[in-house]
Amino acid sequence: MRSCSPCAACKLLRRRCAEDCIFAPYFPSQDPHRFAIVHKVFGASNELPVDQRGDAASSMVYEANARVRDPVYGCVGAISYLQNQVSQLQMQLTVAQTELLRIKMQQDSPSPPYLAPTNIFNNIDSQPEYLNFPSSTNVIQDPSLKTESIWT
Amino acid sequence: MSFGRCAACRYLRRRCTQDCILSPYFPSNNPQRFASVHRIYGASNVTKLLQRLPTHLRAEAADSLYFEAQCRLEDPVYGCVGLIFLLQQQIHSAESQLFKTQAEIAVMKSQTQYPQTQPFRAISGSNNLLLQQSDNDANL
């Protein structure tokens, strides 16, 4: 049985909080700031299935907080920052995978033909490199790392 | 000088004044832009938000509001927060792959630096083996 006090939403909107108030489960009276910030940023309410309303309310609180902290960019600032991080990590991963491939190919390559049997102790440090660095098309790329521009 | 109403005033069915705060960012040739923003935020909230900002930042703010509104319309449950979760997962996955690859490089480099066969030791080892063999023969 729900408490008799109005939920945070009805308290702010100054209306009677009905038994089946749609906001009451997600905006309890003990946390008035939560609804206040959502109401400040979001105007309209969307119809959603009951089992998704909790997540929707939480994501709206998150977005509203982000918008209050950064009135110009809101969540888009965070998205831009994260996209940059993904790009940087992808570049680092590409470099590392290229290096690993180079080392593997170096280890798999056969012994140089000019090694004389009597001089095997002298050629350890002078082995030539038969390797060519692989082109960018051969580098392994994870398709799940690709992201679209934030403005599309 | 344009006498037409901006998309916002056209949508709200009101007169568009000379100093309409929304008209620079919601031109009449893109009615869907304001419709999306209004549906999620409401005209009053958008107006208040833009009024609080200096003029040179309002265009960026309007663009970001439009982007977030579009995300929310496409995903009514998570909005652009869903995109943030996805990017965080991608970062975590990329970091794991990077650490794994760097560890593999470290292992392979150490194997290259310290190979198993050592020519000096092989010869001296074979000498020892010969000596060891002769001792065993003596003990039989």
Side-chain angles (χ1 to χ4, degrees):
Chain A
M1 187 174 158
R2 199 164 55 81
S3 153
C4 298
S5 67
C7 70
C10 293
K11 205 177 280 197
L12 189 120
L13 298 170
R14 289 181 192 160
R15 64 186 195 191
R16 192 176 73 83
C17 192
E19 274 288 330
D20 57 351
C21 173
I22 197 171
F23 294 113
Y26 318 108
F27 300 103
S29 57
Q30 306 95 298
D31 191 358
H33 171 77
R34 186 175 153 95
F35 181 76
I37 203 157
V38 167
H39 181 69
K40 193 174 177 178
V41 176
F42 294 94
S45 59
N46 293 323
E47 290 292 327
L48 283 171
V50 177
D51 60 333
Q52 293 176 328
R53 288 176 188 169
D55 284 351
S58 297
S59 72
M60 286 168 76
V61 170
Y62 185 96
E63 263 192 59
N65 274 318
R67 182 59 64 175
V68 166
R69 269 197 309 267
D70 183 353
V72 181
Y73 295 107
C75 274
V76 174
I79 290 168
S80 177
Y81 171 76
L82 290 171
Q83 279 192 326
N84 281 338
Q85 269 199 300
V86 169
S87 297
Q88 280 180 21
L89 280 168
Q90 193 173 12
M91 269 194 315
Q92 288 175 39
L93 186 59
T94 302
V95 167
Q97 285 172 337
T98 306
E99 175 67 11
L100 183 63
L101 205 57
R102 186 189 72 79
I103 293 172
K104 278 183 178 170
M105 286 172 73
Q106 193 172 21
Q107 287 190 347
D108 292 343
S109 65
S111 307
Y114 57 80
L115 277 179
T118 56
N119 293 327
I120 57 174
F121 311 125
N122 296 334
N123 288 325
I124 291 168
D125 292 330
S126 61
Q127 286 193 19
E129 292 202 358
Y130 293 100
L131 304 171
N132 290 318
F133 283 102
S135 67
S136 60
T137 53
N138 294 335
V139 172
I140 301 158
Q141 289 224 352
D142 187 349
S144 68
L145 287 176
K146 289 183 182 170
T147 54
E148 295 176 349
S149 163
I150 59 169
W151 296 116
T152 56
Chain B
M1 187 172 153
S2 169
F3 293 95
R5 292 181 290 178
C6 70
C9 292
R10 197 181 288 260
Y11 187 97
L12 298 168
R13 293 179 189 163
R14 66 186 190 192
R15 195 169 67 89
C16 191
T17 59
Q18 279 279 356
D19 56 352
C20 172
I21 193 171
L22 299 174
S23 67
Y25 319 110
F26 300 100
S28 56
N29 58 358
N30 191 355
Q32 182 263 338
R33 182 177 156 98
F34 181 75
S36 301
V37 168
H38 174 66
R39 197 167 152 193
I40 300 300
Y41 298 103
S44 170
N45 284 344
V46 174
T47 303
K48 278 186 230 169
L49 198 139
L50 291 178
Q51 275 172 343
R52 279 186 229 124
L53 293 172
T55 313
H56 68 280
L57 291 174
R58 287 177 187 171
E60 292 285 310
D63 285 342
S64 70
L65 283 169
Y66 175 53
F67 178 81
E68 283 188 31
Q70 283 294 104
C71 286
R72 184 59 65 173
L73 288 169
E74 281 167 27
D75 183 354
V77 180
Y78 296 105
C80 66
V81 177
L83 186 52
I84 290 175
F85 288 156
L86 182 68
L87 288 167
Q88 286 173 337
Q89 279 174 351
Q90 288 179 352
I91 286 169
H92 179 74
S93 170
E95 277 177 344
S96 300
Q97 282 188 55
L98 182 63
F99 294 151
K100 188 181 157 204
T101 306
Q102 286 171 340
E104 277 185 65
I105 288 171
V107 165
M108 296 208 118
K109 277 187 172 171
S110 69
Q111 283 175 354
T112 310
Q113 227 176 352
Y114 304 105
Q116 273 186 328
T117 54
Q118 296 282 343
F120 280 110
R121 283 189 198 155
I123 289 175
S124 60
S126 64
N127 284 338
N128 287 338
L129 280 172
L130 284 171
L131 288 169
Q132 211 169 8
Q133 187 102 23
S134 60
D135 285 339
N136 286 341
D137 288 339
N139 291 334
L140 285 173

